[in-house]
Amino acid sequence: MAHTGLEAWVESVARETLPVSVYWCDGSEGESHQLNEGLVRSGGFIRLNEKSLPNCFLARSDPRDVARVEEQTYICSRSPDDAGPSNNWMAPDEMHGRLAGIMQGCMRGRTMYVVPYLMGPPGSPLSKVGVEITDSPYVVANLRIMTRMGRVALEALGSNGTFSRGVHSTVTLDPAHRHISHFPDENLVISCHSNYGGNALLSKKCFALRLASVLARDEGWLAEHMLILRLTDPQGRRTYITAAFPSACGKTNLAMLIPPPRYAEAGWRVETVGDDIAWLKFGTDRRLYAINPEAGFFGVAPGTSSRTNPNALQTCQSNTIFTNVALRPDGTVWWEGFGGLPPDQAIDWRGRDWTPNSPEPAAHPNSRFTAPARQCPSIADDWERPEGVPISAMIFGGRRSSVMPLVYEAPSWQYGVYVGAAMASERTAAAAGKVGELRHDPMAMLPFCGYHMGDYFQHWLDLGQRGGAAMPRIFHVNWFKKDAAGKFFWPGFGESLRVLKWIADRCRGGGAATESPIGWLPTPEALDTAGLDLPPHSLDALLQVNPEEWIAETDSRTAFLARFGDKLPAALLEENTALRSRL
Ligand code: SAT
Ligand code: MN
């Protein structure tokens, strides 16, 4: 079942990049074994303790290549107006010219891997095929976990299916020449000089978000930076919820939440459908159905412990690639926030001896585990349902040490879109830049929207028109509000189930709420705090809306939204003005 378009493209890339050989990945066990062995021999992988971490490996990045590089990420649409102010733009011809200089002969001496992959469950009308060409076996090994790779993808593609194209080369990893270039009009990404996750696993942010968001705009669906979870109450009723938080703000933790004992005993369950990306389409009943296009988790390691996220920890006990974590003498891994005492000695993420007295952390703050989703103890039994799962609620949120209450609900879809567009969060280590600084990040998509975000907001509003009353309800949460001493008010992790419960109640027409200028807040009684041991006034602080702070917030939103110029839907500005006057 040859696909002549695919074959011709692969040949043309090989003619340009001049690899010593071309290898088509089939995704089999044997192939994976050979690749991993090869990586161990070449030093790209360190095999971890076979007893406690079977088939697990440690990889260390070039120390200059540890996060996404938004400054060097481009959307090369035909017109700069299509990329918008939140993206770097370059004319496609100019970028192709610049890349030709880099890619010419860039795979000399290396094998070129052709990696067909399927995004989404086999047989799903929401799934799509991508093909990544790469000269990095590390990238191939990660793609094998993160996607459904090889034969299954070629079968879905058939002899004339369409596919998204990605070309990736390590070249020399020189940060100065790094380019992550998207060509939405050609359904193409070219990425060079970085082997880091979001820059090099082109299935993830590049295809499933940046290019897919453009396809979604054109085809009437949504490609979002969202986890998907299934909440089951003691009566067995299921509520499917998506949540958009910026990178490294706890999407994986929320998707794998373990209910506190009191809730677990009563029969509450949270199960995982996805932890990072959701593709959402209308069903025939006009509801939005979501699939997780990925097959693995690329999770932040530091802070993952048996206390904070036992499900994630269990997921990465086998068949996992760890990148930039610390290595213990017994061949197991460690990172800051692992729980328990730090090891007396370890090898840090750069390969240097480390002790608890060392001045720097042992693991890089953005170190990661790449682990198969099917190994997750909390994976939902319908996570690969071809039709997707029907979404009742969408949550927006971020890291905000002040201003934002624990949770509130948008009274309408339009206001909810405004809430998403106005999202802001304190910076994390997932992207290069100053950690802690507040930045606006609409729908957690600022670095991932492949077109003008003004048009993107309009697309959200249009979908609301189409779905009408069947659209999910929209909420905003903030687990990160701090007191004057810098301590979090909310315990977070499993206890956040209490907030999910209120959200699910609201979706069923229950859950007491009070109206406030910013939306519906839970009444203190509606939010179950039994057994939480919150210090006095914490709940008040968590549910407080301070008009002065909020007026300043709306002013900062006015300034931010103005960046989108003419393309900003008037409705969003009106919501902002109306909110300010309510305050
Ligand atoms: O972009 S990555 O896929 O490397 C992770 C993230 O930043 O969300
Ligand atoms: Mn992400």
Side-chain angles (χ1 to χ4, degrees):
M1 206 172 33
H3 188 298
T4 46
L6 172 58
E7 283 172 4
W9 173 62
V10 168
E11 271 169 38
S12 77
V13 174
R15 269 197 307 276
E16 183 185 14
T17 59
L18 304 175
V20 279
S21 58
V22 177
Y23 177 82
W24 287 69
C25 295
D26 63 16
S28 65
E29 285 291 325
E31 171 185 279
S32 167
H33 181 75
Q34 294 233 322
L35 257 164
N36 294 341
E37 284 305 318
L39 275 157
V40 169
R41 276 195 305 275
S42 69
F45 269 176
I46 294 167
R47 182 181 288 285
L48 295 169
N49 189 308
E50 257 308 315
K51 269 227 172 73
S52 43
L53 295 170
N55 200 33
C56 289
F57 302 90
L58 169 64
R60 296 190 186 119
S61 304
D62 181 303
R64 304 165 302 172
D65 187 28
V66 291
R68 281 182 291 105
V69 284
E70 293 173 10
E71 282 312 305
Q72 290 156 302
T73 300
Y74 295 83
I75 301 294
C76 305
S77 38
R78 250 175 260 128
S79 145
D81 224 31
D82 257 347
S86 57
N87 287 308
N88 301 306
W89 178 82
M90 194 182 286
D93 286 352
E94 191 185 343
M95 181 59 85
H96 276 304
R98 191 192 276 203
L99 291 174
I102 298 175
M103 305 305 278
Q104 180 58 47
C106 67
M107 296 190 187
R108 260 198 199 96
R110 299 190 183 130
T111 296
M112 179 176 115
Y113 299 90
V114 182
V115 189
Y117 61 87
L118 179 64
M119 297 304 275
S124 169
L126 289 87
S127 296
K128 290 194 183 287
V129 174
V131 179
E132 176 164 347
I133 294 178
T134 176
D135 58 8
S136 162
Y138 166 81
V139 165
V140 179
N142 276 273
L143 283 173
R144 182 164 191 277
I145 299 170
M146 294 306 298
T147 71
R148 297 157 178 94
M149 179 242 260
R151 280 189 49 182
V152 60
L154 288 181
E155 274 162 22
L157 186 62
S159 57
N160 60 1
T162 55
F163 62 97
S164 176
R165 298 175 296 158
V167 182
H168 165 259
S169 176
T170 307
V171 200
T172 66
L173 298 182
D174 178 355
H177 293 112
R178 206 160 277 167
H179 284 80
I180 322 298
S181 303
H182 303 70
F183 302 87
D185 301 302
E186 301 167 66
N187 204 356
L188 169 71
V189 187
I190 303 178
S191 161
C192 54
H193 287 293
S194 171
N195 283 354
Y196 169 75
N199 301 330
L201 310 177
L202 304 183
S203 59
K204 197 173 179 55
K205 308 299 184 180
C206 299
F207 175 35
L209 289 178
R210 296 198 190 93
L211 293 182
S213 63
V214 176
L215 297 172
R217 174 197 64 189
D218 297 342
E219 298 169 1
W221 52 284
L222 288 170
E224 296 299 323
H225 193 201
M226 289 175 168
L227 68 88
I228 310 164
L229 65 79
R230 178 172 104 185
L231 177 66
T232 308
D233 71 10
Q235 291 81 52
R237 296 178 302 188
R238 293 170 173 180
T239 308
Y240 294 92
I241 300 173
T242 64
F245 308 149
S247 302
C249 288
K251 283 200 303 298
T252 305
N253 289 345
L254 187 63
M256 298 179 190
L257 181 150
I258 294 194
R262 224 167 54 86
Y263 277 84
E265 282 153 26
W268 287 90
R269 282 207 315 278
V270 171
E271 284 150 300
T272 313
V273 177
D275 81 326
D276 193 41
I277 298 176
W279 285 356
L280 303 114
K281 257 184 206 165
F282 285 109
T284 45
D285 56 0
R286 296 212 296 169
R287 295 190 70 185
L288 278 180
Y289 286 75
I291 59 161
N292 170 11
E294 302 191 283
F297 306 127
F298 186 63
V300 179
T304 305
S305 71
S306 52
R307 184 182 66 83
T308 61
N309 194 339
N311 284 323
L313 209 57
Q314 275 196 56
T315 308
C316 59
Q317 295 308 294
S318 59
N319 310 310
T320 295
I321 301 166
F322 295 92
T323 302
N324 295 337
V325 303
L327 177 64
R328 293 200 256 213
D330 65 354
T332 61
V333 289
W334 190 79
W335 46 75
E336 280 66 26
F338 193 88
L341 291 175
D344 293 336
Q345 48 168 311
I347 313 279
D348 78 0
W349 68 278
R350 300 176 69 160
R352 305 172 302 192
D353 286 332
W354 182 94
T355 73
N357 294 323
S358 296
E360 289 176 53
H364 187 277
N366 192 35
S367 53
R368 299 272 172 164
F369 55 82
T370 317
R374 67 186 141 75
Q375 292 182 182
C376 182
S378 63
I379 201 79
D381 58 12
D382 54 0
W383 80 286
E384 298 191 279
R385 193 170 179 250
E387 305 82 1
V389 295
I391 302 302
S392 298
M394 289 177 155
I395 302 177
F396 294 122
R399 247 172 225 275
R400 296 294 301 263
S401 42
S402 63
V403 190
M404 291 296 140
L406 178 63
V407 58
Y408 68 97
E409 182 187 348
S412 68
W413 178 260
Q414 176 170 302
Y415 186 82
V417 175
Y418 160 74
V419 167
M423 247 172 81
S425 185
E426 287 145 25
R427 257 186 200 278
T428 69
K434 189 159 167 270
V435 172
E437 180 183 77
L438 186 72
R439 79 157 179 177
H440 282 273
D441 187 353
M443 280 87 167
M445 282 290 278
L446 189 77
F448 305 123
C449 184
Y451 62 104
H452 197 301
M453 282 202 110
D455 292 334
Y456 169 77
F457 300 146
Q458 188 60 52
H459 181 56
W460 268 77
L461 293 170
D462 292 345
L463 293 188
Q465 292 289 323
R466 220 170 110 188
M471 291 308 270
R473 291 180 178 233
I474 297 181
F475 298 81
H476 186 280
V477 303
N478 177 26
W479 317 134
F480 300 95
K481 202 168 187 188
K482 288 181 182 170
D483 65 15
K487 200 173 154 284
F488 292 117
F489 281 117
W490 183 246
F493 302 106
E495 305 298 350
S496 295
L497 179 75
R498 299 164 189 268
V499 175
L500 295 183
K501 173 181 182 297
W502 182 74
I503 289 174
D505 288 345
R506 294 292 293 167
C507 294
R508 298 213 148 72
T514 41
E515 203 174 350
S516 85
I518 67 164
W520 293 96
L521 290 160
T523 61
E525 302 72 41
L527 204 63
D528 174 22
T529 54
L532 253 195
D533 208 19
L534 285 181
H537 306 305
S538 287
L539 192 61
D540 292 343
L542 280 166
L543 297 179
Q544 189 202 39
V545 175
N546 176 320
E548 266 153 50
E549 286 177 352
W550 269 89
I551 286 175
E553 178 79 15
T554 53
D555 288 341
S556 120
R557 291 173 174 185
T558 310
F560 173 71
L561 294 173
R563 285 182 64 192
F564 301 104
D566 292 352
K567 293 222 187 205
L568 181 74
L572 299 191
L573 219 48
E574 283 158 21
E575 291 291 359
N576 195 52
T577 313
L579 168 57
R580 200 176 190 286
S581 56
R582 287 198 299 275
L583 290 160

